[in-house]
Amino acid sequence: MDRIKIKAPATVANLSCGFDVLGLCLDNPFDEIEVIKKTKKEVVIDIIDSSYSNIPSNPKENTGGVPALCIIDDLNLDFGFNIKIKKGIPLCGGLGSSASTASGVVFAINKLLNDKLSIKQMLKYSLKGESVSVSNPHADNIAPCLLGGLTLIRDTKSLDIIKVPISDYYISLIHPHLHINTQEARNMLPKNIKLSSAITQWGNIGGLVLGFTLNDNKLISRSMNDVIIEPVRSSLIEGFDHIKNNALELGALGCSISGSGPTIFALCENEDVAQGILDFSKSFYQSLDMGCDTFLSQVNNIGPIII
Ligand code: HSE
């Protein structure tokens, strides 16, 4: 095989209380990535025009280019890659856009190499891509993007990553037109936290993971509560409290910031509730005269999909 085209999915990192340790794979939105083998040992990136095409085409500055260069080097390949990227995922939106480019390129290259790389190697190369956009990269976007479903990052260093069983849910994604830089949104977080807050958060993470495993929506609902990160970061997102309160009133199981924001996500049992939250949010941001993209997604249990 000399060429492959895939869909690389967006992801919701943190999933409220699971800062840097939980991530969920979505079926919408996604990037389209095509990788074509080149006789010349080099990486050439073409950015296909889209609403979110403002990303670097220099391979050394692109989250997909960096892992491609590393793979060529480490595996001593005598050929290169032409990578065509059509972004469908908003940039700096909290939907794992940089991770989807990194993981999508690694997934596609691995297919062209007849699945030569192990899952751990794919995670490692994707993380290298992530390091272009953030120092000390975390795996809570790349792991769900590559593996699909809900992933628990038990340890980033050793890439001890576990897939947590999850049923089908509908996810409302509300992306107000604000740009939040992940690094800056990390820098603003407290270096120390109160033991009582940590205890609440541990209880919630345990409850959330168990809730998904047991398919217990009541447990999920009372565990989807982030007492450490959300109270700090929500100040960056205009209208966050209003959207969250209304999403819960409209029937969401939980609602919080997706990754470092500004996207707000609501987890719902059915499509009507999820759509109702999107409709409400759209008119709310319209009333503020603020742009906002919305996406309706289900859980993607597969990860990247070959098209
Ligand atoms: N867990 C990371 C954070 C995800 O919240 O900073 C960023 O996409």
Side-chain angles (χ1 to χ4, degrees):
M1 187 162 46
D2 282 340
R3 63 196 304 153
I4 183 168
K5 195 170 179 186
I6 63 144
K7 280 186 189 179
T11 46
V12 172
N14 304 339
L15 217 62
S16 79
C17 52
F19 180 69
D20 278 4
V21 301
L22 287 177
L24 177 68
C25 188
L26 305 170
D27 67 7
N28 185 43
F30 54 83
D31 290 349
E32 280 178 21
I33 298 175
E34 186 171 17
V35 181
I36 304 154
K37 269 194 200 171
K38 267 181 125 281
T39 358
K40 201 163 167 204
K41 188 171 169 162
E42 64 176 358
V43 173
V44 174
I45 298 184
D46 298 318
I47 311 296
I48 313 292
D49 200 33
S50 78
S51 310
Y52 313 111
S53 48
N54 188 19
I55 58 165
S57 59
N58 178 345
K60 289 188 181 144
E61 294 169 12
N62 182 291
T63 62
V66 167
L69 289 165
C70 288
I71 293 172
I72 293 175
D73 223 31
D74 290 355
L75 274 58
N76 209 7
L77 302 180
D78 59 2
F79 54 89
F81 301 106
N82 176 203
I83 301 170
K84 296 176 191 290
I85 303 170
K86 186 173 179 194
K87 297 293 298 174
I89 306 175
L91 312 175
C92 292
L95 286 166
S97 181
S98 56
S100 104
T101 305
S103 311
V105 166
V106 170
F107 175 88
I109 288 181
N110 187 44
K111 287 288 163 209
L112 295 181
L113 299 176
N114 298 317
D115 291 316
K116 203 181 176 78
L117 303 174
S118 66
I119 299 279
K120 267 211 170 154
Q121 283 174 307
M122 289 208 285
L123 290 165
K124 185 191 84 177
Y125 285 119
S126 305
L127 263 187
K128 283 202 174 175
E130 271 279 62
S131 62
V132 175
S133 59
V134 69
S135 59
N136 296 321
H138 35 275
D140 55 352
N141 289 116
I142 59 144
C145 184
L146 271 175
L147 306 177
L150 174 62
T151 52
L152 170 68
I153 321 302
R154 202 211 53 81
D155 180 49
T156 309
K157 226 176 181 173
S158 60
L159 289 174
D160 185 2
I161 290 166
I162 299 121
K163 264 191 95 163
V164 179
I166 182 166
S167 317
D168 218 359
Y169 291 97
Y170 288 84
I171 302 116
S172 322
L173 301 152
I174 302 121
H175 172 242
H177 289 177
L178 303 160
H179 273 247
I180 294 184
N181 177 283
T182 300
Q183 191 60 58
E184 285 166 21
R186 292 178 81 77
N187 294 346
M188 75 189 289
L189 297 176
K191 301 285 170 285
N192 299 296
I193 54 171
K194 279 204 308 209
L195 184 60
S196 58
S197 307
I199 293 168
T200 305
Q201 199 90 342
W202 292 327
N204 283 336
I205 297 170
L208 190 58
V209 170
L210 200 61
F212 282 119
T213 308
L214 300 175
N215 202 7
D216 180 341
N217 285 339
K218 286 194 175 130
L219 178 56
I220 291 171
S221 196
R222 56 182 196 273
S223 306
M224 278 199 108
N225 187 21
D226 170 9
V227 297
I228 297 173
I229 312 295
E230 184 188 295
V232 181
R233 283 182 173 169
S234 57
S235 63
L236 299 173
I237 307 169
E238 196 167 343
F240 175 82
D241 291 339
H242 191 62
I243 297 286
K244 178 170 175 167
N245 292 340
N246 278 279
L248 296 175
E249 233 164 66
L250 288 165
L253 293 171
C255 176
S256 186
I257 303 170
S258 178
S260 56
T263 297
I264 303 168
F265 79 91
L267 185 80
C268 307
E269 283 174 275
N270 69 64
E271 190 173 357
D272 287 348
V273 170
Q275 189 58 54
I277 294 168
L278 294 182
D279 294 343
F280 170 83
S281 307
K282 261 192 256 178
S283 28
F284 171 67
Y285 280 112
Q286 245 164 27
S287 74
L288 294 186
D289 217 5
M290 221 173 126
C292 150
D293 299 324
T294 57
F295 303 94
L296 178 63
S297 179
Q298 285 180 270
V299 175
N300 165 354
N301 257 310
I302 304 166
I305 294 166
I306 299 172
I307 46 179

